[in-house]
Amino acid sequence: MAQTATADERVRRVGAFRKWLTRPELAAVAGSVLVFVFFAIVAGDSGFLTLGGAASYLEVSAQLGIVAVPVSLLMIAGEFDLSVGSMVGAAGMLVAIGIVEYGWPLWLAIVAALVLAMLVGLFNGYVVTRTRLPSFIVTLGMLFALRGLTIGFTRLLTGRTEIGGLTGATRGSPLPPIFAGTIKGFPVSIIWWLVLAVIGTWVLQRTVFGNWTFGVGGDPNAARNVGVPVNRVKITLFVCTALSAALLAVIQVLDAGSADVLRGQLLELQAIAAAVIGGVLLTGGYGSVVGALFGALIFGMVEQGIFFTGINTDWFQVFVGVMLLIAVLFNNYIRRRASEAR
Amino acid sequence: MMANNGAPLLEAREVSKYFGHVIALEGVSMKVHAGEVMCLLGDNGAGKSTFIKTFSGVHQPDRGVLLVDGEEVRFNSPRDAIDRGIATVYQDLAMIPLMGISRNFFIGREPTRGAGPFKRFDVAKADRITREELHKIGIDLRDTAQPVSTLSGGERQSVAIARAVYFGAKILILDEPTSALGVKQAAIVLRYIARTREQGIGVIFISHNVHHAYAIGDRFTVLNHGRSMGTFEKGDISMQELEKMMAGGKELDQLSAELEGSLSAKSEAQANEPDS
Ligand SMILES: Nc1ncnc2c1ncn2[C@@H]1O[C@H](COP(=O)(O)OP(=O)(O)OP(=O)(O)O)[C@@H](O)[C@H]1O
Ligand SMILES: [Mg+2]
């Protein structure tokens, strides 16, 4: 009985719809729709549905999403990077101090920030792969150390913890519009976010590196046995997360015209939350970049949506916490169905 | 059945392996020809896995030599063995459960298209080949992207074997491919091994299940405590004799006597304890 049932089952073709129901990003996409509808009803007449409203939540989503894309790839490869928030603070300060205190041209400051990020990413990657310590611990150490160095050096060099006056100092440079300009009222960071998400998806789904990323997170030993350079994959992804943090720092500094040593706090956890809402498995080996994109979108819509409802924005984090829990439960259910579907 | 009159595909001569003071192998010899299934039998801890790990490059023999196509070789890593066409399917299969089947099939050896920064994983080709190769072994996939964890144990073994064959293995080493499987699933794997043999591949099949081994094997080498008890052609030995040899002679008779004894002792004990 059971035997014939499975034989029939095996040749039966599954509809596209059923297949879609087992995608990792399902919860995040459905959640985005729900959140949008919810705020459209609750806050629709107070600006949530206007173009300006969209621009505001998309900007929040974009800033998180720029980091959440590589963070999700790294998590699929089975590692965490808790130092991205501190990296934003450090890179932002480097740009600001370089320009304001030392008169560097903007391009040089940006290059310096990217180089710093690359070194931090390499360091994280090497320590994790060499020592085989959990990346959670290694990058947690980096979270504190980098933040401390940023605060310490900034105060040492300038006597302050916040540096302004960048707008004047960078006037005339062609670079600020690329990072902090607007197109028809929408910040260009949204384009960065979408482009990174497209590249991330392409890499994950359509390149050899992407296949290795899944393999490395799914079972590092099995991957190593078939010849995948496990350490190289991980180190590369640590560099990518740090670079994305530096990119975000440049965007924020040019947008605000100032840098603060405390920039990026909690970003590491928000990025992980966005990835997890997007269906990335905390233990690696499973997930999608599209999911992380929608995870970041949910964050932006909730944060700005609550603002539009006029409720005190203090309640934002409660909403996020509940969303996270619901999404994870849902994702768990989907993944179980996907890996058991016969 | 043994078409090859020349040198065997793989030969081990008087191989010994020691782990500290543990003698895992002592002077074990074996030959595998193209198109035959060589069964390596023995009880737990007999040294079967250790023996084949010297062929797959995991261990280096402390004494004795290995020959591939009559030529002496020394494998310093699993990669060396793979390069000589020796593929090993370990019990854990080196498959990644949550990953799709075609992604698993090709991981580490992905087909690519395009060049430079646009070089990409040829997903369509990987899917097509996976579908074809699995169709050959009687697994019709509805979706090559479905996770490996959705396959049954026997199907997973078959996929791992199919992968080794597809990537050009001349010698296929299977470490206990059927021991974790039920009767039906084991039959799937055994049938597939028979088909692999027909393609002229030399198969080393490890088992401590004499029924599985006798069904598929052409020759049998029995190991006991790291020593070879001899190699036998299928026609020269019965299943019962093999089984006895594996268990080290009288041990099974002794065991059944022992068990009977302890059982009757137990029932006596129970009879004396009315409230338990
Ligand atoms: N790396 C090692 N270090 C020390 N001793 C080892 C090592 N590998 C194997 N041995 C020992 O060598 C002996 C043979 O082990 P082996 O794994 O080859 O047995 P086996 O025949 O494959 O048994 P099983 O049927 O349980 O798989 C055992 O006594 C084992 O404890
Ligand atoms: Mg063994």
Side-chain angles (χ1 to χ4, degrees), chain A:
Chain A
M1 264 288 283
Q3 190 59 32
T4 54
T6 48
D8 288 343
E9 175 93 307
R10 208 173 291 148
V11 286
R12 201 186 73 198
R13 302 215 74 85
V14 205
F17 180 69
R18 239 210 82 171
K19 208 164 145 183
W20 204 79
L21 281 184
T22 57
R23 298 284 316 160
E25 58 271 10
L26 177 65
V29 174
S32 299
V33 174
L34 283 179
V35 168
F36 180 84
V37 170
F38 176 78
F39 285 110
I41 293 168
V42 178
D45 44 8
S46 48
F48 185 76
L49 288 175
T50 61
L51 277 184
S56 82
Y57 65 72
L58 285 178
E59 181 173 19
V60 174
S61 302
Q63 298 213 351
L64 174 59
I66 284 170
V67 177
V69 165
V71 161
S72 66
L73 287 174
L74 181 68
M75 285 174 66
I76 293 171
E79 303 291 350
F80 292 102
D81 187 350
L82 296 181
S83 68
V84 285
S86 299
M87 189 66 237
V88 169
M93 255 321 160
L94 180 64
V95 170
I97 292 177
I99 293 171
V100 175
E101 299 288 318
Y102 296 96
W104 293 355
L106 178 56
W107 68 264
L108 180 63
I110 293 173
V111 169
L114 294 178
V115 168
L116 174 70
M118 214 161 88
L119 293 176
V120 170
L122 282 175
F123 181 88
N124 282 338
Y126 268 106
V127 173
V128 168
T129 53
R130 280 293 123 83
T131 63
R132 307 213 170 193
L133 288 171
S135 54
F136 190 92
I137 300 302
V138 172
T139 59
L140 184 63
M142 184 58 88
L143 176 155
F144 290 116
L146 200 56
R147 185 70 73 189
L149 285 170
T150 306
I151 298 172
F153 269 115
T154 303
R155 225 194 283 274
L156 201 69
L157 294 173
T158 68
R160 286 169 293 158
T161 56
E162 209 224 323
I163 305 227
L166 274 118
T167 321
T170 57
R171 194 162 290 134
S173 164
L175 291 174
I178 298 176
F179 295 99
T182 54
I183 300 170
K184 294 196 193 321
F186 285 86
V188 289
S189 55
I190 298 170
I191 295 176
W192 281 100
W193 170 43
L194 296 178
V195 167
L196 284 180
V198 169
I199 294 174
T201 297
W202 184 76
V203 167
L204 186 64
Q205 303 293 343
R206 285 287 177 268
T207 69
V208 172
F209 187 85
N211 209 38
W212 291 352
T213 303
F214 277 120
V216 164
D219 186 340
N221 285 324
R224 198 173 281 119
N225 284 345
V226 292
V228 174
V230 173
N231 292 353
R232 206 174 81 208
V233 170
K234 288 186 176 176
I235 293 170
T236 306
L237 289 172
F238 274 111
V239 170
C240 288
T241 55
L243 283 176
S244 74
L247 170 65
L248 176 60
V250 170
I251 289 172
Q252 287 188 343
V253 164
L254 291 179
D255 186 45
S258 68
D260 190 306
V261 289
L262 294 182
R263 274 290 163 114
Q265 270 187 324
L266 281 185
L267 178 70
E268 60 283 335
L269 296 183
Q270 292 177 347
I272 290 172
V276 168
I277 289 175
V280 174
L281 183 59
L282 215 57
T283 47
Y286 188 83
S288 84
V289 172
V290 176
L293 175 103
F294 280 95
L297 179 63
I298 289 178
F299 254 89
M301 285 197 296
V302 171
E303 187 170 335
Q304 294 308 103
I306 288 187
F307 171 76
F308 281 114
T309 57
I311 302 170
N312 191 324
T313 46
D314 295 345
W315 298 98
F316 158 62
Q317 301 205 27
V318 179
F319 207 110
V320 168
V322 173
M323 286 274 328
L324 181 64
L325 212 61
I326 294 173
V328 172
L329 285 172
F330 194 71
N331 284 334
N332 228 354
Y333 169 73
I334 300 216
R335 193 176 53 252
R336 206 163 323 127
R337 273 191 41 162
S339 60
E340 281 170 6
R342 294 232 59 223

Side-chain angles (χ1 to χ4, degrees), chain B residues 19 22 24 42-51 59 176 208:
Chain B
F19 295 110
V22 178
D43 213 355
N44 292 113
K48 306 180 297 290
S49 298
T50 308
F51 192 40
H59 294 320
E176 313 224 5
H208 49 228

Side-chain angles (χ1 to χ4, degrees), chain A residues 3 9-14 18-19 202 204-208 210-212 214-216 218-219 222-223 225-228 281 284-286 335 338-342, chain B residues 79 82 94-99 103 106-112 117-123 131 138-143 146-147 149-152 155 163 184:
Chain A
Q3 190 59 32
E9 175 93 307
R10 208 173 291 148
V11 286
R12 201 186 73 198
R13 302 215 74 85
V14 205
R18 239 210 82 171
K19 208 164 145 183
W202 184 76
L204 186 64
Q205 303 293 343
R206 285 287 177 268
T207 69
V208 172
N211 209 38
W212 291 352
F214 277 120
V216 164
D219 186 340
N225 284 345
V226 292
V228 174
L281 183 59
Y286 188 83
R335 193 176 53 252
S339 60
E340 281 170 6
R342 294 232 59 223
Chain B
R79 198 77 241 174
I82 292 168
M95 290 255 204
I96 296 156
L98 274 177
M99 242 172 118
R103 284 180 175 272
F106 281 97
I107 188 167
R109 286 176 284 208
E110 293 85 353
T112 56
F118 297 104
K119 190 165 142 188
R120 58 202 183 274
F121 179 19
D122 192 343
V123 178
R131 200 178 284 281
I139 302 175
D140 284 307
L141 294 174
R142 57 187 188 200
D143 178 10
Q146 76 191 61
S149 59
T150 62
L151 294 176
S152 71
E155 288 172 334
R163 175 170 66 178
K184 279 203 183 99

